[in-house]
mmCIF file of all heavy atoms in Angstrom:
data_model
loop_
_atom_site.group_PDB
_atom_site.id
_atom_site.type_symbol
_atom_site.label_atom_id
_atom_site.label_comp_id
_atom_site.label_asym_id
_atom_site.label_seq_id
_atom_site.Cartn_x
_atom_site.Cartn_y
_atom_site.Cartn_z
ATOM 1 N N VAL A 419 7.250 2.650 -0.853
ATOM 2 C CA VAL A 419 5.887 2.163 -0.591
ATOM 3 C C VAL A 419 5.515 2.570 0.800
ATOM 4 O O VAL A 419 6.181 2.202 1.775
ATOM 5 C CB VAL A 419 5.811 0.624 -0.733
ATOM 6 C CG1 VAL A 419 4.405 0.133 -0.447
ATOM 7 C CG2 VAL A 419 6.283 0.166 -2.119
ATOM 8 N N VAL A 420 4.402 3.326 0.925
ATOM 9 C CA VAL A 420 3.981 3.804 2.202
ATOM 10 C C VAL A 420 2.801 2.950 2.683
ATOM 11 O O VAL A 420 1.816 2.767 1.971
ATOM 12 C CB VAL A 420 3.584 5.287 2.161
ATOM 13 C CG1 VAL A 420 3.071 5.725 3.582
ATOM 14 C CG2 VAL A 420 4.799 6.136 1.817
ATOM 15 N N VAL A 421 2.952 2.413 3.891
ATOM 16 C CA VAL A 421 1.914 1.536 4.488
ATOM 17 C C VAL A 421 1.319 2.222 5.715
ATOM 18 O O VAL A 421 0.147 2.116 5.988
ATOM 19 C CB VAL A 421 2.580 0.188 4.937
ATOM 20 C CG1 VAL A 421 1.543 -0.714 5.599
ATOM 21 C CG2 VAL A 421 3.210 -0.496 3.726
ATOM 22 N N ALA A 425 -2.182 6.380 4.991
ATOM 23 C CA ALA A 425 -1.154 6.039 4.044
ATOM 24 C C ALA A 425 -1.054 6.993 2.828
ATOM 25 O O ALA A 425 0.017 7.397 2.403
ATOM 26 C CB ALA A 425 -1.303 4.594 3.558
ATOM 27 N N ASN A 426 -2.208 7.347 2.245
ATOM 28 C CA ASN A 426 -2.232 8.173 1.046
ATOM 29 C C ASN A 426 -1.555 9.516 1.290
ATOM 30 O O ASN A 426 -0.711 9.998 0.570
ATOM 31 C CB ASN A 426 -3.630 8.399 0.531
ATOM 32 C CG ASN A 426 -4.337 7.119 0.135
ATOM 33 O OD1 ASN A 426 -4.532 6.227 0.970
ATOM 34 N ND2 ASN A 426 -4.818 7.045 -1.115
ATOM 35 N N SER A 445 4.393 5.147 -3.949
ATOM 36 C CA SER A 445 3.024 4.564 -3.956
ATOM 37 C C SER A 445 2.630 4.193 -2.556
ATOM 38 O O SER A 445 3.440 4.108 -1.653
ATOM 39 C CB SER A 445 3.026 3.278 -4.812
ATOM 40 O OG SER A 445 3.895 2.332 -4.326
ATOM 41 N N CYS A 446 1.323 4.069 -2.343
ATOM 42 C CA CYS A 446 0.847 3.621 -1.030
ATOM 43 C C CYS A 446 0.007 2.358 -1.199
ATOM 44 O O CYS A 446 -0.467 2.060 -2.252
ATOM 45 C CB CYS A 446 0.123 4.732 -0.271
ATOM 46 S SG CYS A 446 -1.625 4.892 -0.723
ATOM 47 N N LEU A 447 -0.056 1.654 -0.123
ATOM 48 C CA LEU A 447 -0.664 0.307 -0.094
ATOM 49 C C LEU A 447 -2.173 0.390 -0.083
ATOM 50 O O LEU A 447 -2.795 0.855 0.912
ATOM 51 C CB LEU A 447 -0.187 -0.477 1.104
ATOM 52 C CG LEU A 447 -0.600 -1.962 1.105
ATOM 53 C CD1 LEU A 447 0.260 -2.777 0.156
ATOM 54 C CD2 LEU A 447 -0.532 -2.526 2.535
ATOM 55 N N THR A 448 -2.840 -0.043 -1.180
ATOM 56 C CA THR A 448 -4.281 -0.330 -1.133
ATOM 57 C C THR A 448 -4.494 -1.775 -1.587
ATOM 58 O O THR A 448 -5.620 -2.227 -1.796
ATOM 59 C CB THR A 448 -5.107 0.635 -1.989
ATOM 60 O OG1 THR A 448 -4.650 0.608 -3.377
ATOM 61 C CG2 THR A 448 -5.040 2.057 -1.473
ATOM 62 N N ARG A 449 -3.390 -2.532 -1.684
ATOM 63 C CA ARG A 449 -3.474 -3.931 -2.124
ATOM 64 C C ARG A 449 -4.199 -4.776 -1.096
ATOM 65 O O ARG A 449 -4.837 -5.773 -1.430
ATOM 66 C CB ARG A 449 -2.080 -4.456 -2.377
ATOM 67 C CG ARG A 449 -2.029 -5.855 -2.950
ATOM 68 C CD ARG A 449 -2.782 -5.936 -4.322
ATOM 69 N NE ARG A 449 -2.480 -7.187 -5.010
ATOM 70 C CZ ARG A 449 -1.538 -7.357 -5.910
ATOM 71 N NH1 ARG A 449 -0.760 -6.305 -6.255
ATOM 72 N NH2 ARG A 449 -1.324 -8.524 -6.468
ATOM 73 N N LEU A 450 -4.120 -4.393 0.187
ATOM 74 C CA LEU A 450 -4.841 -5.187 1.205
ATOM 75 C C LEU A 450 -6.343 -5.072 0.914
ATOM 76 O O LEU A 450 -7.080 -6.055 0.930
ATOM 77 C CB LEU A 450 -4.496 -4.694 2.605
ATOM 78 C CG LEU A 450 -5.198 -5.362 3.766
ATOM 79 C CD1 LEU A 450 -5.136 -6.874 3.714
ATOM 80 C CD2 LEU A 450 -4.667 -4.873 5.089
ATOM 81 N N ASP A 451 -6.815 -3.852 0.642
ATOM 82 C CA ASP A 451 -8.238 -3.660 0.311
ATOM 83 C C ASP A 451 -8.579 -4.391 -0.950
ATOM 84 O O ASP A 451 -9.667 -5.038 -1.085
ATOM 85 C CB ASP A 451 -8.482 -2.175 0.116
ATOM 86 C CG ASP A 451 -7.967 -1.329 1.278
ATOM 87 O OD1 ASP A 451 -8.398 -1.564 2.395
ATOM 88 O OD2 ASP A 451 -7.146 -0.439 1.001
ATOM 89 N N HIS A 452 -7.675 -4.364 -1.937
ATOM 90 C CA HIS A 452 -7.870 -5.068 -3.209
ATOM 91 C C HIS A 452 -8.018 -6.587 -2.986
ATOM 92 O O HIS A 452 -8.915 -7.196 -3.498
ATOM 93 C CB HIS A 452 -6.622 -4.746 -4.092
ATOM 94 C CG HIS A 452 -6.593 -5.430 -5.426
ATOM 95 N ND1 HIS A 452 -6.898 -4.780 -6.612
ATOM 96 C CD2 HIS A 452 -6.228 -6.658 -5.777
ATOM 97 C CE1 HIS A 452 -6.733 -5.610 -7.607
ATOM 98 N NE2 HIS A 452 -6.324 -6.772 -7.134
ATOM 99 N N ASN A 453 -7.103 -7.121 -2.150
ATOM 100 C CA ASN A 453 -7.165 -8.566 -1.850
ATOM 101 C C ASN A 453 -8.429 -8.906 -1.069
ATOM 102 O O ASN A 453 -9.004 -10.004 -1.274
ATOM 103 C CB ASN A 453 -5.924 -8.967 -1.069
ATOM 104 C CG ASN A 453 -4.660 -8.979 -1.961
ATOM 105 O OD1 ASN A 453 -4.727 -8.910 -3.158
ATOM 106 N ND2 ASN A 453 -3.494 -9.162 -1.318
ATOM 107 N N ARG A 454 -8.843 -7.988 -0.193
ATOM 108 C CA ARG A 454 -10.076 -8.220 0.576
ATOM 109 C C ARG A 454 -11.262 -8.322 -0.355
ATOM 110 O O ARG A 454 -12.145 -9.164 -0.200
ATOM 111 C CB ARG A 454 -10.305 -7.098 1.595
ATOM 112 C CG ARG A 454 -9.372 -7.185 2.776
ATOM 113 C CD ARG A 454 -9.385 -5.882 3.552
ATOM 114 N NE ARG A 454 -8.656 -5.994 4.871
ATOM 115 C CZ ARG A 454 -8.220 -4.965 5.568
ATOM 116 N NH1 ARG A 454 -8.411 -3.727 5.156
ATOM 117 N NH2 ARG A 454 -7.584 -5.208 6.709
ATOM 118 N N ALA A 455 -11.309 -7.387 -1.345
ATOM 119 C CA ALA A 455 -12.418 -7.374 -2.295
ATOM 120 C C ALA A 455 -12.452 -8.651 -3.140
ATOM 121 O O ALA A 455 -13.497 -9.288 -3.332
ATOM 122 C CB ALA A 455 -12.299 -6.141 -3.183
ATOM 123 N N LYS A 456 -11.256 -9.035 -3.581
ATOM 124 C CA LYS A 456 -11.127 -10.229 -4.440
ATOM 125 C C LYS A 456 -11.600 -11.438 -3.653
ATOM 126 O O LYS A 456 -12.324 -12.305 -4.224
ATOM 127 C CB LYS A 456 -9.615 -10.305 -4.723
ATOM 128 C CG LYS A 456 -9.193 -11.186 -5.820
ATOM 129 C CD LYS A 456 -7.718 -10.990 -6.056
ATOM 130 C CE LYS A 456 -7.165 -12.141 -6.885
ATOM 131 N NZ LYS A 456 -5.939 -11.848 -7.569
ATOM 132 N N SER A 457 -11.198 -11.528 -2.413
ATOM 133 C CA SER A 457 -11.537 -12.688 -1.586
ATOM 134 C C SER A 457 -13.036 -12.736 -1.259
ATOM 135 O O SER A 457 -13.581 -13.830 -1.261
ATOM 136 C CB SER A 457 -10.692 -12.567 -0.302
ATOM 137 O OG SER A 457 -11.200 -13.456 0.629
ATOM 138 N N VAL A 470 -10.523 -14.754 -9.531
ATOM 139 C CA VAL A 470 -11.140 -13.426 -9.630
ATOM 140 C C VAL A 470 -10.022 -12.420 -9.969
ATOM 141 O O VAL A 470 -8.969 -12.444 -9.405
ATOM 142 C CB VAL A 470 -11.741 -12.993 -8.269
ATOM 143 C CG1 VAL A 470 -12.361 -11.615 -8.311
ATOM 144 C CG2 VAL A 470 -12.742 -14.059 -7.802
ATOM 145 N N LYS A 471 -10.297 -11.577 -10.966
ATOM 146 C CA LYS A 471 -9.267 -10.565 -11.335
ATOM 147 C C LYS A 471 -9.918 -9.216 -11.670
ATOM 148 O O LYS A 471 -11.076 -9.113 -11.948
ATOM 149 C CB LYS A 471 -8.421 -11.073 -12.498
ATOM 150 C CG LYS A 471 -9.087 -11.194 -13.800
ATOM 151 C CD LYS A 471 -8.097 -11.549 -14.912
ATOM 152 C CE LYS A 471 -8.736 -11.340 -16.298
ATOM 153 N NZ LYS A 471 -7.878 -11.856 -17.377
ATOM 154 N N ASN A 472 -9.059 -8.218 -11.596
ATOM 155 C CA ASN A 472 -9.416 -6.865 -12.017
ATOM 156 C C ASN A 472 -10.488 -6.197 -11.180
ATOM 157 O O ASN A 472 -11.315 -5.391 -11.665
ATOM 158 C CB ASN A 472 -9.774 -6.815 -13.526
ATOM 159 C CG ASN A 472 -8.604 -7.218 -14.393
ATOM 160 O OD1 ASN A 472 -7.473 -7.374 -13.907
ATOM 161 N ND2 ASN A 472 -8.816 -7.365 -15.675
ATOM 162 N N VAL A 473 -10.524 -6.512 -9.859
ATOM 163 C CA VAL A 473 -11.257 -5.657 -8.931
ATOM 164 C C VAL A 473 -10.463 -4.385 -8.835
ATOM 165 O O VAL A 473 -9.279 -4.306 -9.125
ATOM 166 C CB VAL A 473 -11.465 -6.308 -7.539
ATOM 167 C CG1 VAL A 473 -12.150 -7.674 -7.645
ATOM 168 C CG2 VAL A 473 -10.127 -6.478 -6.792
ATOM 169 N N ILE A 474 -11.106 -3.276 -8.419
ATOM 170 C CA ILE A 474 -10.430 -2.002 -8.279
ATOM 171 C C ILE A 474 -10.772 -1.394 -6.912
ATOM 172 O O ILE A 474 -11.927 -1.446 -6.454
ATOM 173 C CB ILE A 474 -10.931 -1.013 -9.368
ATOM 174 C CG1 ILE A 474 -10.659 -1.508 -10.754
ATOM 175 C CG2 ILE A 474 -10.258 0.368 -9.173
ATOM 176 C CD1 ILE A 474 -11.374 -0.757 -11.873
ATOM 177 N N ILE A 475 -9.736 -0.849 -6.286
ATOM 178 C CA ILE A 475 -9.986 0.041 -5.141
ATOM 179 C C ILE A 475 -9.694 1.445 -5.627
ATOM 180 O O ILE A 475 -8.582 1.739 -6.094
ATOM 181 C CB ILE A 475 -9.064 -0.292 -3.926
ATOM 182 C CG1 ILE A 475 -9.217 -1.747 -3.502
ATOM 183 C CG2 ILE A 475 -9.317 0.690 -2.772
ATOM 184 C CD1 ILE A 475 -10.606 -2.124 -2.984
ATOM 185 N N GLY A 477 -9.365 5.511 -4.652
ATOM 186 C CA GLY A 477 -9.344 6.551 -3.629
ATOM 187 C C GLY A 477 -8.467 6.314 -2.422
ATOM 188 O O GLY A 477 -7.328 5.858 -2.538
ATOM 189 N N ASN A 478 -9.037 6.599 -1.289
ATOM 190 C CA ASN A 478 -8.273 6.650 -0.031
ATOM 191 C C ASN A 478 -8.261 5.303 0.646
ATOM 192 O O ASN A 478 -9.254 4.558 0.588
ATOM 193 C CB ASN A 478 -8.921 7.676 0.912
ATOM 194 C CG ASN A 478 -8.043 8.166 2.036
ATOM 195 O OD1 ASN A 478 -6.846 7.717 2.106
ATOM 196 N ND2 ASN A 478 -8.519 9.018 2.890
ATOM 197 N N HIS A 479 -7.208 4.955 1.316
ATOM 198 C CA HIS A 479 -7.169 3.740 2.148
ATOM 199 C C HIS A 479 -7.833 4.094 3.476
ATOM 200 O O HIS A 479 -7.181 4.295 4.520
ATOM 201 C CB HIS A 479 -5.704 3.285 2.368
ATOM 202 C CG HIS A 479 -5.648 2.136 3.343
ATOM 203 N ND1 HIS A 479 -6.196 0.880 3.099
ATOM 204 C CD2 HIS A 479 -5.099 2.058 4.574
ATOM 205 C CE1 HIS A 479 -5.974 0.098 4.124
ATOM 206 N NE2 HIS A 479 -5.321 0.782 5.058
ATOM 207 N N GLN A 483 -12.979 4.553 0.828
ATOM 208 C CA GLN A 483 -12.499 3.859 -0.377
ATOM 209 C C GLN A 483 -13.688 3.253 -1.100
ATOM 210 O O GLN A 483 -14.683 2.873 -0.496
ATOM 211 C CB GLN A 483 -11.526 2.745 -0.027
ATOM 212 C CG GLN A 483 -12.195 1.682 0.843
ATOM 213 C CD GLN A 483 -11.359 0.439 1.085
ATOM 214 O OE1 GLN A 483 -11.427 -0.494 0.312
ATOM 215 N NE2 GLN A 483 -10.577 0.476 2.134
ATOM 216 N N VAL A 519 -15.760 -4.656 2.764
ATOM 217 C CA VAL A 519 -14.386 -4.324 2.360
ATOM 218 C C VAL A 519 -13.922 -3.040 3.055
ATOM 219 O O VAL A 519 -12.832 -2.952 3.620
ATOM 220 C CB VAL A 519 -14.223 -4.245 0.841
ATOM 221 C CG1 VAL A 519 -12.828 -3.797 0.459
ATOM 222 C CG2 VAL A 519 -14.555 -5.580 0.168
ATOM 223 N N SER A 537 -2.217 -10.350 6.947
ATOM 224 C CA SER A 537 -2.810 -10.000 5.654
ATOM 225 C C SER A 537 -2.203 -8.747 5.098
ATOM 226 O O SER A 537 -2.005 -8.586 3.878
ATOM 227 C CB SER A 537 -4.303 -9.875 5.755
ATOM 228 O OG SER A 537 -4.662 -8.950 6.784
ATOM 229 N N ALA A 538 -1.810 -7.815 5.967
ATOM 230 C CA ALA A 538 -1.127 -6.608 5.541
ATOM 231 C C ALA A 538 0.229 -6.937 4.965
ATOM 232 O O ALA A 538 0.610 -6.425 3.899
ATOM 233 C CB ALA A 538 -1.001 -5.623 6.668
ATOM 234 N N ALA A 539 0.964 -7.784 5.670
ATOM 235 C CA ALA A 539 2.305 -8.183 5.152
ATOM 236 C C ALA A 539 2.187 -8.887 3.822
ATOM 237 O O ALA A 539 3.002 -8.639 2.887
ATOM 238 C CB ALA A 539 2.975 -9.105 6.219
ATOM 239 N N LYS A 540 1.200 -9.757 3.664
ATOM 240 C CA LYS A 540 1.006 -10.462 2.385
ATOM 241 C C LYS A 540 0.723 -9.458 1.282
ATOM 242 O O LYS A 540 1.243 -9.551 0.121
ATOM 243 C CB LYS A 540 -0.137 -11.472 2.543
ATOM 244 C CG LYS A 540 -0.878 -11.910 1.283
ATOM 245 C CD LYS A 540 -0.016 -12.630 0.251
ATOM 246 C CE LYS A 540 -0.793 -13.397 -0.795
ATOM 247 N NZ LYS A 540 -1.650 -12.577 -1.678
ATOM 248 N N ALA A 541 -0.126 -8.464 1.552
ATOM 249 C CA ALA A 541 -0.464 -7.420 0.542
ATOM 250 C C ALA A 541 0.775 -6.594 0.181
ATOM 251 O O ALA A 541 0.940 -6.239 -1.005
ATOM 252 C CB ALA A 541 -1.557 -6.532 1.090
ATOM 253 N N ILE A 542 1.592 -6.259 1.186
ATOM 254 C CA ILE A 542 2.853 -5.537 0.839
ATOM 255 C C ILE A 542 3.730 -6.368 -0.081
ATOM 256 O O ILE A 542 4.265 -5.820 -1.072
ATOM 257 C CB ILE A 542 3.640 -5.172 2.181
ATOM 258 C CG1 ILE A 542 2.846 -4.241 3.059
ATOM 259 C CG2 ILE A 542 5.003 -4.604 1.837
ATOM 260 C CD1 ILE A 542 3.339 -4.158 4.507
ATOM 261 N N CYS A 543 3.862 -7.641 0.209
ATOM 262 C CA CYS A 543 4.654 -8.539 -0.675
ATOM 263 C C CYS A 543 4.079 -8.532 -2.094
ATOM 264 O O CYS A 543 4.854 -8.404 -3.067
ATOM 265 C CB CYS A 543 4.614 -9.949 -0.126
ATOM 266 S SG CYS A 543 5.617 -10.143 1.388
ATOM 267 N N ASP A 544 2.767 -8.610 -2.232
ATOM 268 C CA ASP A 544 2.136 -8.575 -3.553
ATOM 269 C C ASP A 544 2.433 -7.267 -4.289
ATOM 270 O O ASP A 544 2.774 -7.258 -5.492
ATOM 271 C CB ASP A 544 0.599 -8.720 -3.438
ATOM 272 C CG ASP A 544 0.140 -10.122 -2.944
ATOM 273 O OD1 ASP A 544 0.957 -11.050 -2.961
ATOM 274 O OD2 ASP A 544 -1.036 -10.232 -2.559
ATOM 275 N N HIS A 545 2.277 -6.162 -3.567
ATOM 276 C CA HIS A 545 2.438 -4.817 -4.122
ATOM 277 C C HIS A 545 3.887 -4.643 -4.629
ATOM 278 O O HIS A 545 4.132 -4.225 -5.758
ATOM 279 C CB HIS A 545 2.086 -3.810 -3.036
ATOM 280 C CG HIS A 545 2.278 -2.370 -3.392
ATOM 281 N ND1 HIS A 545 1.198 -1.486 -3.454
ATOM 282 C CD2 HIS A 545 3.368 -1.608 -3.652
ATOM 283 C CE1 HIS A 545 1.691 -0.274 -3.719
ATOM 284 N NE2 HIS A 545 2.965 -0.331 -3.856
ATOM 285 N N VAL A 546 4.852 -4.992 -3.772
ATOM 286 C CA VAL A 546 6.250 -4.779 -4.126
ATOM 287 C C VAL A 546 6.701 -5.752 -5.212
ATOM 288 O O VAL A 546 7.402 -5.367 -6.142
ATOM 289 C CB VAL A 546 7.136 -4.867 -2.863
ATOM 290 C CG1 VAL A 546 8.646 -4.703 -3.260
ATOM 291 C CG2 VAL A 546 6.808 -3.800 -1.827
ATOM 292 N N ARG A 547 6.212 -7.005 -5.149
ATOM 293 C CA ARG A 547 6.570 -7.953 -6.215
ATOM 294 C C ARG A 547 6.083 -7.502 -7.554
ATOM 295 O O ARG A 547 6.763 -7.605 -8.560
ATOM 296 C CB ARG A 547 5.998 -9.336 -5.851
ATOM 297 C CG ARG A 547 6.554 -10.479 -6.804
ATOM 298 C CD ARG A 547 5.858 -11.814 -6.661
ATOM 299 N NE ARG A 547 5.596 -12.179 -5.273
ATOM 300 C CZ ARG A 547 4.421 -12.169 -4.647
ATOM 301 N NH1 ARG A 547 3.319 -11.793 -5.310
ATOM 302 N NH2 ARG A 547 4.340 -12.556 -3.420
ATOM 303 N N ASP A 548 4.847 -6.947 -7.595
ATOM 304 C CA ASP A 548 4.325 -6.426 -8.820
ATOM 305 C C ASP A 548 5.112 -5.228 -9.364
ATOM 306 O O ASP A 548 5.299 -5.091 -10.572
ATOM 307 C CB ASP A 548 2.834 -6.083 -8.716
ATOM 308 C CG ASP A 548 1.975 -7.352 -8.690
ATOM 309 O OD1 ASP A 548 2.460 -8.432 -9.057
ATOM 310 O OD2 ASP A 548 0.774 -7.208 -8.280
ATOM 311 N N ILE A 549 5.562 -4.366 -8.478
ATOM 312 C CA ILE A 549 6.435 -3.280 -8.911
ATOM 313 C C ILE A 549 7.721 -3.848 -9.534
ATOM 314 O O ILE A 549 8.160 -3.387 -10.592
ATOM 315 C CB ILE A 549 6.794 -2.329 -7.769
ATOM 316 C CG1 ILE A 549 5.584 -1.500 -7.320
ATOM 317 C CG2 ILE A 549 7.953 -1.390 -8.137
ATOM 318 C CD1 ILE A 549 5.807 -0.622 -6.099
ATOM 319 N N TRP A 550 8.266 -4.849 -8.888
ATOM 320 C CA TRP A 550 9.579 -5.403 -9.284
ATOM 321 C C TRP A 550 9.471 -6.202 -10.579
ATOM 322 O O TRP A 550 10.317 -6.075 -11.457
ATOM 323 C CB TRP A 550 10.108 -6.254 -8.154
ATOM 324 C CG TRP A 550 11.614 -6.260 -8.072
ATOM 325 C CD1 TRP A 550 12.447 -7.272 -8.350
ATOM 326 C CD2 TRP A 550 12.459 -5.143 -7.757
ATOM 327 N NE1 TRP A 550 13.739 -6.924 -8.201
ATOM 328 C CE2 TRP A 550 13.790 -5.618 -7.811
ATOM 329 C CE3 TRP A 550 12.239 -3.799 -7.370
ATOM 330 C CZ2 TRP A 550 14.880 -4.798 -7.562
ATOM 331 C CZ3 TRP A 550 13.328 -2.983 -7.148
ATOM 332 C CH2 TRP A 550 14.635 -3.503 -7.233
ATOM 333 N N GLY A 552 6.394 -6.700 -12.493
ATOM 334 C CA GLY A 552 5.323 -6.372 -13.392
ATOM 335 C C GLY A 552 4.068 -7.173 -13.130
ATOM 336 O O GLY A 552 4.086 -8.166 -12.399
ATOM 337 N N THR A 553 2.947 -6.706 -13.716
ATOM 338 C CA THR A 553 1.650 -7.380 -13.499
ATOM 339 C C THR A 553 1.439 -8.409 -14.652
ATOM 340 O O THR A 553 1.912 -8.195 -15.764
ATOM 341 C CB THR A 553 0.516 -6.329 -13.570
ATOM 342 O OG1 THR A 553 0.721 -5.429 -14.660
ATOM 343 C CG2 THR A 553 0.452 -5.549 -12.297
ATOM 344 N N PRO A 554 0.722 -9.496 -14.351
ATOM 345 C CA PRO A 554 0.441 -10.479 -15.409
ATOM 346 C C PRO A 554 -0.358 -9.891 -16.579
ATOM 347 O O PRO A 554 -1.113 -8.955 -16.339
ATOM 348 C CB PRO A 554 -0.385 -11.545 -14.678
ATOM 349 C CG PRO A 554 -0.217 -11.301 -13.238
ATOM 350 C CD PRO A 554 0.102 -9.809 -13.052
ATOM 351 N N GLU A 557 -4.160 -8.400 -16.629
ATOM 352 C CA GLU A 557 -4.583 -8.135 -15.266
ATOM 353 C C GLU A 557 -4.126 -6.764 -14.791
ATOM 354 O O GLU A 557 -3.040 -6.317 -15.166
ATOM 355 C CB GLU A 557 -4.014 -9.174 -14.306
ATOM 356 C CG GLU A 557 -4.853 -10.385 -14.118
ATOM 357 C CD GLU A 557 -4.340 -11.302 -13.006
ATOM 358 O OE1 GLU A 557 -4.150 -10.862 -11.872
ATOM 359 O OE2 GLU A 557 -4.107 -12.502 -13.327
ATOM 360 N N PHE A 558 -4.973 -6.108 -13.992
ATOM 361 C CA PHE A 558 -4.490 -4.901 -13.308
ATOM 362 C C PHE A 558 -4.630 -4.997 -11.830
ATOM 363 O O PHE A 558 -5.379 -5.891 -11.322
ATOM 364 C CB PHE A 558 -5.111 -3.637 -13.941
ATOM 365 C CG PHE A 558 -6.606 -3.667 -14.114
ATOM 366 C CD1 PHE A 558 -7.464 -3.503 -12.999
ATOM 367 C CD2 PHE A 558 -7.190 -3.812 -15.364
ATOM 368 C CE1 PHE A 558 -8.862 -3.443 -13.169
ATOM 369 C CE2 PHE A 558 -8.582 -3.767 -15.537
ATOM 370 C CZ PHE A 558 -9.389 -3.609 -14.441
ATOM 371 N N VAL A 559 -3.945 -4.125 -11.118
ATOM 372 C CA VAL A 559 -3.964 -4.143 -9.629
ATOM 373 C C VAL A 559 -4.245 -2.706 -9.153
ATOM 374 O O VAL A 559 -4.162 -1.766 -9.917
ATOM 375 C CB VAL A 559 -2.645 -4.695 -9.065
ATOM 376 C CG1 VAL A 559 -2.453 -6.124 -9.430
ATOM 377 C CG2 VAL A 559 -1.480 -3.840 -9.500
ATOM 378 N N SER A 560 -4.544 -2.601 -7.865
ATOM 379 C CA SER A 560 -4.819 -1.290 -7.269
ATOM 380 C C SER A 560 -3.614 -0.843 -6.482
ATOM 381 O O SER A 560 -3.065 -1.619 -5.695
ATOM 382 C CB SER A 560 -6.020 -1.359 -6.332
ATOM 383 O OG SER A 560 -7.145 -1.947 -7.006
ATOM 384 N N MET A 561 -3.193 0.430 -6.674
ATOM 385 C CA MET A 561 -2.220 1.046 -5.754
ATOM 386 C C MET A 561 -2.440 2.561 -5.720
ATOM 387 O O MET A 561 -2.982 3.132 -6.668
ATOM 388 C CB MET A 561 -0.789 0.684 -6.060
ATOM 389 C CG MET A 561 -0.245 0.807 -7.439
ATOM 390 S SD MET A 561 1.541 0.421 -7.545
ATOM 391 C CE MET A 561 1.632 -1.328 -7.394
ATOM 392 N N GLY A 562 -2.132 3.129 -4.558
ATOM 393 C CA GLY A 562 -2.207 4.577 -4.434
ATOM 394 C C GLY A 562 -1.037 5.221 -5.111
ATOM 395 O O GLY A 562 0.121 4.901 -4.757
ATOM 396 N N SER A 579 -5.871 5.861 -5.034
ATOM 397 C CA SER A 579 -5.770 4.508 -5.510
ATOM 398 C C SER A 579 -6.474 4.338 -6.835
ATOM 399 O O SER A 579 -7.653 4.708 -6.993
ATOM 400 C CB SER A 579 -6.369 3.487 -4.512
ATOM 401 O OG SER A 579 -6.187 2.176 -4.999
ATOM 402 N N PHE A 580 -5.726 3.847 -7.826
ATOM 403 C CA PHE A 580 -6.219 3.641 -9.195
ATOM 404 C C PHE A 580 -5.909 2.186 -9.627
ATOM 405 O O PHE A 580 -5.030 1.555 -9.070
ATOM 406 C CB PHE A 580 -5.430 4.517 -10.211
ATOM 407 C CG PHE A 580 -5.783 5.998 -10.144
ATOM 408 C CD1 PHE A 580 -5.024 6.842 -9.340
ATOM 409 C CD2 PHE A 580 -6.817 6.501 -10.914
ATOM 410 C CE1 PHE A 580 -5.321 8.203 -9.338
ATOM 411 C CE2 PHE A 580 -7.073 7.857 -10.930
ATOM 412 C CZ PHE A 580 -6.379 8.700 -10.102
ATOM 413 N N VAL A 582 -3.884 0.022 -12.027
ATOM 414 C CA VAL A 582 -2.655 0.209 -12.811
ATOM 415 C C VAL A 582 -2.131 -1.098 -13.363
ATOM 416 O O VAL A 582 -2.459 -2.176 -12.854
ATOM 417 C CB VAL A 582 -1.518 0.846 -11.907
ATOM 418 C CG1 VAL A 582 -1.913 2.223 -11.390
ATOM 419 C CG2 VAL A 582 -1.093 -0.070 -10.780
ATOM 420 N N ILE A 584 1.758 -2.665 -14.550
ATOM 421 C CA ILE A 584 3.182 -2.368 -14.310
ATOM 422 C C ILE A 584 4.041 -3.163 -15.236
ATOM 423 O O ILE A 584 3.843 -4.376 -15.428
ATOM 424 C CB ILE A 584 3.532 -2.668 -12.831
ATOM 425 C CG1 ILE A 584 2.573 -1.939 -11.885
ATOM 426 C CG2 ILE A 584 4.984 -2.262 -12.525
ATOM 427 C CD1 ILE A 584 2.585 -2.443 -10.479
#
Side-chain angles (χ1 to χ4, degrees):
V419 179
V420 177
V421 178
N426 299 58
S445 60
C446 83
L447 188 77
T448 56
R449 185 59 167 267
L450 178 52
D451 310 301
H452 178 101
N453 287 350
R454 285 165 171 163
K456 195 172 165 161
S457 166
V470 182
K471 68 175 192 186
N472 297 352
V473 303
I474 300 168
I475 303 296
N478 198 2
H479 174 64
Q483 62 172 271
V519 176
S537 54
K540 157 62 165 63
I542 295 165
C543 290
D544 291 346
H545 178 116
V546 177
R547 190 190 316 106
D548 285 345
I549 289 175
W550 211 248
T553 45
E557 270 188 57
F558 48 76
V559 296
S560 308
M561 50 176 74
S579 182
F580 287 93
V582 298
I584 305 164

